Amino acid sequence: MFRLLRPIAVLTAFLTLHSSFFIETKAQTPKSYTSSEILLGLKKLNVLGSVMYIAAHPDDENTRLIAYMANERLLETSYLSATRGDGGQNLIGPELREGLGVIRTQELLAARRLDGGRQFFTRANDFGFSKTSDETFRIWDKEQVLADMVWVIRQRRPDVLITRFPPDARAGHGHHQASAILAAEAFDAAGDPKRFPEQLQYVQAWQPKRLLWNTGSFFVKPGENMDGYLRLDAGGYNPLLGQSYGEIAARSRSNHRSQGFGSAAQRGEALEYFQPVKGDKATKDLFEGVDQTWNRVPGGAAVGKLIEEVIRKYDASNPSASVAGLLKVREQLMALSNKSDKNSSDQTMYTHLDNNPRNVFWLKEKIAETNQLLQAASGLAIEATAATNSVATSEGNNVPIKVDFEVVNRSSAPITLLSIAANHQNETRLPIFQAIQPNTLQVNGAAFQKTVLSQNKKVVGNFAITDFSKEQITQPYWLRKSGTIGMYSVQEQLSVGEAQNAPPCEVYFDVQMGTEKLTFTIPVQYKHTDPVLGELYQPLAVVPPVLVNLPPARSYIFADAQPKTVPVTLRAGRVGVSGSLALALPAGWKCEPATADFALAAKDEELTVNFQVQPLAGAAPGRAELRATATVAGQAYTRGIQKIEYPHIPTQFLFPEAVAPLVKLDLKRRGQNVAYLMGAGDEVPDALRQIGYTVTLLKPEEISAARLKEFDALVVGIRAYNTVEALKTKQPEILKYIEAGGNVVVQYVVDRGTVLPEIGPYPMTLSRDRVTVEDAPVTLTKHPLLAAPNKITEQDFKGWVQEQGLYYPSKWDPKYQTVISSSDPGEAAKESAILVTDYGKGHYIYTGLSLFRELPAGVPGAYRLITNMISYGK
């Protein structure tokens, strides 16, 4: 049985080892490679060049250029996104902020698996739309974001940096401008050992050759001559992949589903333009003056010749015939590393390399590529799986999980399985190794011993593992500690820049191929068979012994002194967990019961405890918080679990704190029955139920004037006119309902891609106008909507989160009445956050206010505003 050991020496180079052609596939179906992909990998093995693309958000990157660089030029290609896109909107589900950031991170990784790039980030938090770089830098820690860019550049050592945006207002979004400004500063700082010297215990200073801006027609003035720019055709066709780079890019970009970026394939010429920004000028090619051959490594010319021979002799019908040649390549690479003990592990070799003052980046890269090519060419299939999707931390109760493994040599190449080891990952993500004792490791039903892997003969086995610490809970590493509005808190230098957590448990298979010993690192995953979808893989999650779940995105709103039910669902992370559960409330609030004992016998067993919460006479008005805490054996647990599951990304888990807004407010409402039409997904219906409305979620096909007559109001969810195709034909029914006396409230609609030209009874022109400063002062008119049933004041716009509003109309018919106005600093007032018009006997309201964010956050004024909208005219 494995047990968690104390951390041992840092193996920096091992942790930063990445493949170029073979993209990481953590926690998903193991990748199999075709003969043509292996040949492409061999060709890439003989190219030593690197390029890094830099922008601000997921979906900012030029996927066609990344696909071209990685698969045509065969360069080590990466995309550095300043943020994870947390501040955007979600077209596929209700997740916002941290949950959306996790989705968009995984969408980027899915995109890179298709286009061949690698993915990196800084610690900058996407706090929402920003209009200028100055505004962005007031919220981001500029020096820390710059340090992160320098760190990733020093790690990946790109010859050329490319930005997506210019550093000025042409970039639009303030984050876009900031990314270009930071890229230029990072270009200089990365090569200066006096800048961020604390990084140099892990990496060396690195100066890229040049920095260019990937410009295009969308950034230049109409008719501007672009002949003076560098250009290349990125629209070529790759016969080994059977696709053009435009086709690869479309598939890659279409993974940005949460942003609605499905893309059509493009074929034929596709010119990309580049404007020099810093460094050596190039006249014909981006990589002028960059040696991309093995000559850039001392003694590497012989390696290049060996690789050329492997390529020349490559047999697509028998890739395993290349194993012998690849072993010679690997042997030469190991010799170049000055490794004295050829029988020591790869981990020792990497430590040796990292301590060598020479530039060993390309040796590490190419050794890793060679190892993966050897596995691919030999058809060596290895996996390690658990029969459960989660394992609990072991405070006070060490419950082992069984790990099954399978090894199959699907070629005639001689391979011997020498040993198997495993690790956990502690909070600093350093490997902790321990050999498996023969009496605990079973291979083909017997105690482990060195095993020859005969062609196509399966070798199976199992072992047990335990002692996962609480630091290993698989919360995304950037969310483990509280950050600021603009920055995540990540203290471990080796974690900075990484796209995702390292797997909590990995198994190391040492094999012998010829005279070479290789180690293949395989993450432990959960594998199961779905009766419809077949075999599925997902990450193994490490969870607390007990999970404490409050309803997601729920605020508890008290407009009177009546008690409300607060359900807390406990879930066992392991067998046999018991303790007590309690709610923590601010002064002036009452809770029954005060505590509740629980006992959960089976893993994943659930129990819901309903607490009755109500304000007493002394409860302060406004927003506070309630917190649920489970106590087990003297340990307090306050985190629940949120599963994020979409078909285009691996299943993800978040562990949110069991905290919910608790709001006491003065609220009057009119009407009772509200129909709600979902758009892109939000939590507004539950918020309306919290203040006493009876809410019915209508399906689009249910919309008719007759059906809507049953309701006091119809509220249309965010982006519904972008996502609900049925509104093309149902809009006349909605207008009939209004005309007959109904009330309709439409929340924001994106200005592009509406399903019909007019979303209201009278013309309005949607735009991208917005007020990004959430606490921007608001000027109120004397419109009746602000007078009843609740008197709206400037105080109702205090305490808003992320942004005040978005996608305000820029033009509107005179029949619409404006209600409020506000502006970001230095801008003219925007008056269309709320537009109201009478239509027949009824009323239509369009609002770009970010109610979909404010209501789940428990902002009191947002509840008073939406109540007045629903009550309007009654």
Side-chain angles (χ1 to χ4, degrees), residues 553-604:
R554 171 75 65 86
S555 297
Y556 292 92
I557 313 299
F558 292 80
D560 52 37
Q562 294 301 308
K564 286 185 180 290
T565 299
V566 178
V568 182
T569 299
L570 298 169
R571 182 174 180 176
R574 58 169 169 80
V575 297
V577 58
S578 61
S580 62
L581 176 68
L583 289 187
L585 299 169
W589 292 80
K590 178 183 177 182
C591 176
E592 291 183 351
T595 62
D597 294 334
F598 65 88
L600 302 171
K603 182 180 181 297
D604 296 330

Side-chain angles (χ1 to χ4, degrees), residues 174-412:
H175 296 178
H176 295 170
Q177 300 172 39
S179 71
I181 292 169
L182 287 165
E185 295 186 17
F187 178 88
D188 295 327
D192 183 354
K194 295 179 181 179
R195 298 301 309 274
F196 312 110
E198 69 281 358
Q199 298 176 2
L200 300 183
Q201 62 180 309
Y202 306 110
V203 294
Q204 295 173 336
W206 174 253
Q207 181 59 61
K209 188 78 169 177
R210 59 182 58 92
L211 168 67
L212 305 114
W213 166 34
N214 179 202
T215 185
S217 58
F218 35 86
F219 288 125
V220 300
K221 298 176 182 178
E224 182 178 338
N225 188 346
M226 300 178 69
D227 290 343
Y229 293 168
L230 280 173
R231 66 179 185 176
L232 62 82
D233 178 7
Y237 173 75
N238 190 314
L240 292 177
L241 298 177
Q243 299 175 83
S244 70
Y245 300 117
E247 290 171 311
I248 295 172
R251 293 175 59 221
S252 171
R253 192 163 185 78
S254 294
N255 275 291
H256 294 301
R257 297 185 189 180
S258 64
Q259 302 302 292
F261 274 25
S263 301
Q266 296 181 358
R267 303 171 187 88
E269 184 183 60
L271 296 180
E272 298 284 351
Y273 294 89
F274 302 89
Q275 181 175 321
V277 178
K278 279 181 174 287
D280 291 353
K281 295 293 178 64
T283 59
K284 295 182 179 179
D285 184 77
L286 277 62
F287 291 85
E288 282 179 22
V290 177
D291 186 354
Q292 299 177 38
T293 74
W294 274 100
N295 291 328
R296 74 186 300 174
V297 174
V303 176
K305 291 180 180 179
L306 287 174
I307 296 171
E308 289 173 2
E309 183 179 2
V310 175
I311 294 171
R312 181 173 56 81
K313 294 181 178 179
Y314 183 70
D315 182 356
S317 66
N318 183 21
S320 65
S322 297
V323 167
L326 281 168
L327 288 172
K328 291 180 181 179
V329 171
R330 189 180 191 277
E331 183 179 8
Q332 186 69 27
L333 289 172
M334 301 296 278
L336 283 177
S337 73
N338 291 326
K339 182 178 179 185
S340 58
D341 182 2
K342 295 187 182 296
N343 294 318
S344 61
S345 67
D346 282 353
Q347 287 76 35
T348 303
M349 180 274 294
Y350 293 137
T351 305
H352 172 78
L353 280 178
D354 198 58
N355 292 331
N356 194 316
R358 296 185 295 110
N359 175 8
V360 296
F361 171 81
W362 285 112
L363 287 174
K364 290 189 293 183
E365 288 294 305
K366 297 306 180 179
I367 289 170
E369 287 182 40
T370 303
N371 289 351
Q372 291 172 308
L373 281 165
L374 282 164
Q375 183 179 2
S378 65
L380 182 62
I382 314 175
E383 69 176 25
T385 60
T388 177
N389 67 353
S390 66
V391 57
T393 57
S394 54
E395 300 100 301
N397 193 336
N398 296 330
V399 180
I401 64 165
K402 179 184 175 185
V403 176
D404 294 301
F405 61 85
E406 177 181 296
V407 184
V408 186
N409 175 13
R410 295 177 289 183
S411 74
S412 59

Side-chain angles (χ1 to χ4, degrees), residues 738-784:
I738 302 173
E739 196 171 21
N743 189 19
V744 170
V745 179
V746 175
Q747 297 176 82
Y748 89 89
V749 179
V750 175
D751 64 327
R752 62 184 188 276
T754 55
V755 299
L756 72 167
E758 295 295 343
I759 66 170
Y762 305 112
M764 71 172 77
T765 302
L766 298 171
S767 75
R768 298 191 179 188
D769 288 349
R770 61 182 75 204
V771 176
T772 62
V773 177
E774 54 267 25
D775 57 357
V778 175
T779 301
L780 308 179
T781 69
K782 295 183 179 181
H783 195 280

